[in-house]
Amino acid sequence: MSDSNEYDGSQHDDDRYDADGIAIPVGTPADADPIEAVPFGGDDEQVQRVEAALYARIGEQSPEHRLTATRRAVELLGDPHLAYPVIHLTGTNGKTSTARMTESIIRAHGLRTGLMTSPHLVSIRERIVIDGAPIAADRFVENWDDITPILEITDKELTDKGELPLTFFEALTVLALACFAEAPVDVAVIEVGMGGEWDSTNVVQSQVQVFTPIAIDHAKQLGNTVAEIARTKSGIVKPSSAVVSSAQVPEALAELERAAELTESTLAVEGTGFRVLDVTPAVGGQLVTVQGVAGRYDDLFLPLFGAHQAHNAAVAIAAVESFIGRGSQPLDEDVLSEGLASATSPGRLQPIAQDPTVVVDAAHNPHGAKALAEALPVAFPSGHVVGVVGILADKDARGFVRALKDTVATFVVTQPPGERALDADAFARVVVDEVGDDLVVVEPSLAQALQEARDLADEAEADDAMVLVAGSIVMVGAVMDLVHTEGGSK
């Protein structure tokens, strides 16, 4: 099982060399132990108790468009979110990878970090990371028990006013902010759950706000145009702060420029304020050269695959430059190299098994699928890709398939775990309409779909045939857990 290409200095002992004799860092092989960033094997009963209490609340896909509830809860807790500075991230795709890179670079500077991302792959504890590792089970439970009386008071105040009690994500946000204060952390990197302006994480007073590419997703909650969605996301911009953005389509960029102007904030945009200068594929990842906001950084090893991850790295570098020294001084290149080389992003173009190679990716909308289609042939060249695909009912299934149909030779259509999944037969009709019925196999059982795909790859004439799993973060996590369980039983 892969460790998501985790990389450390000891791997230089196995450097390979290019045609010019230059050492290329070697990433971790795909049969290594799973990374600590994903706590496989199931959580204990106490963690499950907390998780059940959270899921008993209104689901995170039905957020309340309000901040007052979360503000009241943290006020009753003594405003733990004001105990540390914050880098706040939003966008449509790339948020989690960018957040994880940002956190890793900050941590390499000797600062104790907190990281909040969503959703999780295997364990809910992945959403709250302290100093690079998912929060310990006992601290997760103890912090929950400490804040539960405050949540109950807040719930009662809300219901007395005729409002809904705290939602899943509002309660989780309060928990994460309290965990960071209790740790304590020197800086928190916090990913928005959905949108921005009314997302519960927007109670923080961030010093840097980061925007990854903005596209149409969650249209029911955020709007049907990129401009509407960008307007909602731009609501995280705080007065006199530093705003860092990926390259954006004009209508999204206009909203970010407007928000920066209204708040008298600085705005650094990829392409003008900073940029990727060069990307070279390397074993276990890639070498990237970045012109940052304050300095140029050559041949940084990034143990993640895909040009989109190189751009995410540039955004993360610009964010850290904007946080440390307000963008006026370059980062120490050795510290930056260490931080970037240690970055992981589980479930993002990650090899998890061999013979045949199985790669998982969290792409779940057309924009993410397009990035995956561009990155896969470079990172994992293959003459025959068998795709295990499943998607949630509220996603653009047709756009997702169209983005992948020139990359995937055969589609094994299944469905992710959970009630939000699009039925396998219903999804198969979309896939057949796009690629033809001779290229589609339907298998509702995820475990059987994975085995079917492996068999098809083994039977393919191409020696380098592989399996790609994509379409749902929940499904990717379930497949990773399946493969991990296989490894443990051997």
Side-chain angles (χ1 to χ4, degrees):
M1 163 116 194
S2 168
D3 69 357
S4 187
N5 316 306
E6 190 176 36
Y7 177 86
D8 60 45
S10 66
Q11 290 164 333
H12 282 290
D13 294 340
D14 296 318
D15 279 354
R16 298 178 189 177
Y17 297 85
D18 66 12
D20 298 318
I22 299 173
I24 299 175
V26 178
T28 307
D31 57 355
D33 291 334
I35 57 169
E36 294 180 0
V38 180
F40 292 100
D43 283 311
D44 64 30
E45 290 183 0
Q46 290 302 306
V47 172
Q48 291 174 17
R49 170 176 65 83
V50 175
E51 186 172 15
L54 282 163
Y55 278 116
R57 294 175 174 273
I58 298 168
E60 63 185 316
Q61 294 302 316
S62 301
E64 287 293 295
H65 291 203
R66 65 186 184 187
L67 285 179
T68 51
T70 309
R71 280 200 180 114
R72 179 56 176 159
V74 293
E75 177 187 31
L76 291 171
L77 279 172
D79 291 325
H81 60 300
L82 302 182
Y84 40 81
V86 172
I87 298 174
H88 202 188
L89 297 94
T90 189
T92 302
N93 289 295
K95 294 189 300 294
T96 299
S97 294
T98 305
R100 293 180 68 90
M101 289 186 227
T102 300
E103 182 275 337
S104 188
I105 296 168
I106 290 283
R107 182 158 37 91
H109 281 80
L111 296 171
R112 185 168 172 80
T113 57
L115 172 67
M116 180 183 180
T117 60
S118 61
H120 59 274
L121 289 164
V122 176
S123 166
I124 196 168
R125 293 188 293 111
E126 297 167 47
R127 296 180 183 235
I128 303 173
V129 173
I130 307 291
D131 244 9
I135 187 168
D138 59 344
R139 303 312 306 148
F140 181 76
V141 172
E142 288 172 19
N143 277 294
W144 173 259
D145 289 341
D146 285 344
I147 72 168
T148 294
I150 297 300
L151 300 182
E152 291 173 347
I153 292 171
T154 307
D155 286 340
K156 186 176 187 307
E157 290 182 355
L158 290 168
T159 54
D160 284 349
K161 293 188 296 183
E163 296 184 37
L164 291 171
L166 291 164
T167 66
F168 169 94
F169 196 73
E170 287 171 334
L172 182 68
T173 298
V174 176
L175 175 60
L177 298 178
C179 288
F180 295 155
E182 188 269 342
V185 303
D186 298 316
V187 57
V189 178
I190 295 177
E191 176 188 335
V192 162
M194 186 184 296
E197 180 181 10
W198 40 257
D199 184 80
S200 59
T201 64
N202 203 27
V203 298
V204 302
Q205 295 300 310
S206 56
Q207 286 66 45
V208 179
Q209 299 88 46
V210 180
F211 294 83
T212 62
I214 297 172
I216 294 177
D217 200 11
H218 299 296
K220 182 178 178 182
Q221 295 92 351
L222 303 180
N224 294 309
T225 69
V226 171
E228 285 181 276
I229 294 170
R231 193 172 307 125
T232 298
K233 292 182 183 296
S234 69
I236 71 168
V237 177
K238 301 297 188 293
S240 302
S241 58
V243 181
V244 174
S245 176
S246 299
Q248 303 285 358
V249 296
E251 53 267 45
L253 181 58
E255 293 297 332
L256 301 187
E257 290 173 336
R258 172 180 164 275
E261 182 179 359
L262 288 174
T263 57
E264 298 183 336
S265 300
T266 62
L267 174 61
V269 180
E270 183 183 6
T272 54
F274 61 95
R275 59 174 55 85
V276 175
L277 297 177
D278 186 60
V279 178
T280 303
V283 178
Q286 54 194 315
L287 299 175
V288 298
T289 296
V290 173
Q291 175 60 57
V293 173
R296 174 179 168 133
Y297 313 99
D298 293 306
D299 292 332
L300 300 167
F301 179 68
L302 176 65
L304 302 173
F305 297 99
H308 61 294
Q309 294 289 22
H311 290 283
N312 289 340
V315 173
I317 291 168
V320 177
E321 287 179 312
S322 298
F323 179 77
I324 298 176
R326 289 284 288 189
S328 63
Q329 59 189 47
L331 301 176
D332 181 283
E333 194 149 355
D334 289 339
V335 174
L336 173 59
S337 294
E338 176 189 344
L340 206 59
S342 299
T344 63
S345 195
R348 276 74 182 175
L349 209 61
Q350 178 185 354
I352 62 170
Q354 294 178 322
D355 301 323
T357 297
V358 178
V359 172
V360 296
D361 191 83
H364 56 277
N365 55 37
H367 187 276
K370 182 176 182 293
L372 170 59
E374 293 171 352
L376 187 71
V378 177
F380 302 97
S382 172
H384 190 96
V385 177
V386 181
V388 177
V389 293
I391 201 164
L392 301 184
D394 61 348
K395 300 299 180 183
D396 181 357
R398 191 172 298 277
F400 175 83
V401 175
R402 284 179 177 172
L404 286 180
K405 67 180 183 179
D406 292 332
T407 301
V408 174
T410 306
F411 287 85
V412 179
V413 180
T414 187
Q415 59 193 57
E419 296 178 354
R420 294 176 57 219
L422 179 62
D423 176 78
D425 289 330
F427 188 25
R429 287 192 289 272
V430 175
V431 181
V432 168
D433 192 43
E434 289 294 326
V435 305
D437 58 6
D438 57 330
L439 300 180
V440 178
V441 176
V442 184
E443 179 47 72
S445 164
L446 184 56
Q448 292 179 29
L450 178 61
Q451 187 56 55
E452 176 72 19
R454 284 167 150 171
D455 291 343
L456 288 171
D458 284 338
E459 294 166 6
E461 294 182 4
D463 292 334
D464 55 0
M466 62 172 290
V467 174
L468 169 69
V469 181
S472 161
I473 296 173
V474 174
M475 186 176 76
V476 163
V479 168
M480 292 172 70
D481 211 19
L482 279 170
V483 173
H484 173 73
T485 301
E486 289 174 3
S489 63
K490 291 179 181 178

